Amino acid sequence: MAAPQHTPALPLLGSRKPSHRERVADALRAALIAGELRPGEVYSAPGLAARFGVSATPVREAMLDLAKEGLVDTVPNKGFRVTAVSERQLDEYTHIRGLIEIPTTAGLALTADPVALQALRPVAREIVISAAAGDLIAYVEADLRFHLGLLALAGNDHLVDVVRDLRRRSRLYGLTALAGQGRLEASAEEHLEILDALLARDEEAVRTVMTRHLGHVRGLWAAP
């Protein structure tokens, strides 16, 4: 199944209704993570605006936000260049994420409210649906909501902020190929597997699935 060439509708993040500028920034971050905006390439605000079906002003403002985060550089009179992330940086980001996400998520098997866990099931299904459709921006956005939603159940807002930043800096260039081959759904199904293990109060099973899942960042999802 070939991945669609058009860009999907701008995603929504979180329970608070975001501003248009925030929605544009979230969509651009997801496109960066999924590899739909490539490192070294220069993108103009009008060009991105046409791609996302919005006006140029919120795109320009959103790209300035991304420049402050180090995700793009401004190119005078041309637009914005996507910054490259080295293999070593990706390895370091993934290592830190593993140190935080695996034990924190596994620990939720003993502490999380089952009702709160079940509330994340529609998001997990959304990830599977996005994978089947080859909608990479929706996939990345739903994946972020799912994992940050899980981590939020641990009650540590600073931990959630750290992981959010690490995830934004990651690059998953292999998603396009996996979606085109129809293989992304198998990875997407792991989100449901994580939830089932948490609801079964099986801490070791959660740890096992999370270890395998994060391993894709530098495995299946990494290759261009």
Side-chain angles (χ1 to χ4, degrees), residues 10 26 30-31 42 87 92 102 123 135 139 153-154 166-167 170 175 183 202 214:
L10 298 177
D26 287 335
V42 177
E87 294 293 313
E92 290 174 348
I102 294 172
V123 185
D135 189 338
Y139 178 96
L153 298 181
L166 291 170
R167 282 178 168 268
S170 297
L175 292 185
R183 297 171 57 202
D202 191 336
L214 275 183

Side-chain angles (χ1 to χ4, degrees), residues 5-223:
Q5 297 302 307
H6 68 281
T7 300
L10 298 177
L12 293 173
L13 280 176
S15 57
R16 177 184 66 83
K17 185 176 181 180
S19 68
H20 193 53
R21 172 176 175 168
E22 289 171 327
R23 290 182 63 200
V24 172
D26 287 335
L28 290 170
R29 287 190 193 93
L32 280 167
I33 294 168
E36 293 196 5
L37 299 181
R38 304 294 292 189
E41 294 290 326
V42 177
Y43 298 91
S44 68
L48 289 171
R51 178 173 179 172
F52 284 87
V54 296
S55 65
T57 297
V59 170
R60 190 173 292 107
E61 293 173 342
M63 291 300 274
L64 289 173
D65 291 339
L66 268 58
K68 293 176 183 176
E69 297 171 16
L71 301 180
V72 299
D73 293 323
T74 57
V75 180
N77 303 317
K78 291 187 178 180
F80 302 87
R81 179 183 290 111
V82 177
T83 58
V85 180
S86 70
E87 294 293 313
R88 178 173 178 173
Q89 286 174 309
L90 288 174
D91 286 338
E92 290 174 348
Y93 298 157
T94 306
H95 178 64
I96 297 169
R97 284 179 55 188
L99 292 175
I100 297 173
E101 293 188 62
I102 294 172
T104 302
T105 304
L108 292 174
L110 305 178
T111 62
D113 178 2
V115 175
L117 291 172
Q118 287 288 14
L120 288 168
R121 192 171 293 276
V123 185
R125 292 194 180 112
E126 185 180 338
I127 297 169
V128 176
I129 292 169
S130 299
D135 189 338
L136 301 185
I137 292 181
Y139 178 96
V140 168
E141 186 271 335
D143 178 76
L144 180 69
R145 282 194 286 124
F146 178 84
H147 286 286
L148 295 187
L150 274 182
L151 293 174
L153 298 181
N156 187 329
D157 292 341
H158 295 292
L159 181 149
V160 175
D161 288 340
V162 169
V163 173
R164 178 186 288 110
D165 181 65
L166 291 170
R167 282 178 168 268
R168 285 175 174 174
R169 294 178 184 277
S170 297
R171 299 289 188 273
L172 306 176
Y173 299 134
L175 292 185
T176 300
L178 287 175
Q181 297 162 8
R183 297 171 57 202
L184 191 56
E185 284 181 77
S187 298
E189 293 280 356
E190 290 176 344
H191 298 85
L192 292 167
E193 194 176 346
I194 292 167
L195 273 185
D196 289 340
L198 284 167
L199 287 163
R201 300 301 191 192
D202 191 336
E203 187 175 5
E204 273 310 305
V206 176
R207 189 180 301 275
T208 297
V209 181
M210 277 296 298
T211 300
R212 183 199 329 143
H213 189 66
L214 275 183
H216 298 327
V217 175
R218 300 300 292 129
L220 287 175
W221 300 340

